[in-house]
Amino acid sequence: MSYQINDDCISCGACETDCPNKAIREGENIYEIDPERCSECVGSFAKPQCTEICPVGAPCLDKTNPETTDQLLSKWKQLHPDEPPKLF
C-alpha cells in the first residue's frame, strides 16, 4: 500500500524533503503523496520516512491501494534504476 496524508497535516513540509522517491508534494491545502511513486520506503529505509518525521502523524496507509513488498520493491527499482536496494 502506498501512504496518503490525512487532514491532520499542518503543511510543515518536513516529509517532502525526506521522501527518497520524491512522492510527496505540496497540495492545495495539505501535502499529498503520489501513489505511483510511494514505495513505503521499501528499497531505501526500514521504515517509511514520512511517518518517522511527521510531527502530527498525518501520513497513513492508503488501504484502498494494497501492494505486496515485492510490488513496492519493483516500483522502487523503476524509480532508482542505477541503485541497489537496501534490504532490511
Side-chain angles (χ1 to χ4, degrees):
M1 282 176 241
S2 66
Y3 274 74
Q4 61 185 3
I5 297 177
N6 65 33
D7 291 337
D8 293 339
C9 179
I10 58 173
S11 294
C12 68
C15 60
E16 182 180 27
T17 57
D18 281 10
C19 179
N21 297 338
K22 299 183 184 346
I24 302 174
R25 62 181 167 77
E26 189 173 8
E28 189 173 313
N29 297 314
I30 61 174
Y31 277 75
E32 300 172 349
I33 297 177
D34 180 349
E36 299 297 317
R37 298 187 69 87
C38 179
S39 69
E40 296 180 32
C41 290
V42 168
S44 295
F45 297 99
K47 294 181 181 180
Q49 295 303 286
C50 59
T51 62
E52 294 292 303
I53 194 74
C54 182
V56 296
C60 55
L61 281 172
D62 178 1
K63 295 184 181 183
T64 64
N65 189 19
E67 294 174 289
T68 66
T69 301
D70 287 340
Q71 289 172 311
L72 294 168
L73 185 57
S74 177
K75 188 187 304 187
W76 184 91
K77 287 177 179 178
Q78 289 178 345
L79 295 168
H80 305 272
D82 298 327
E83 296 177 43
K86 295 176 186 160
L87 303 175
F88 299 91

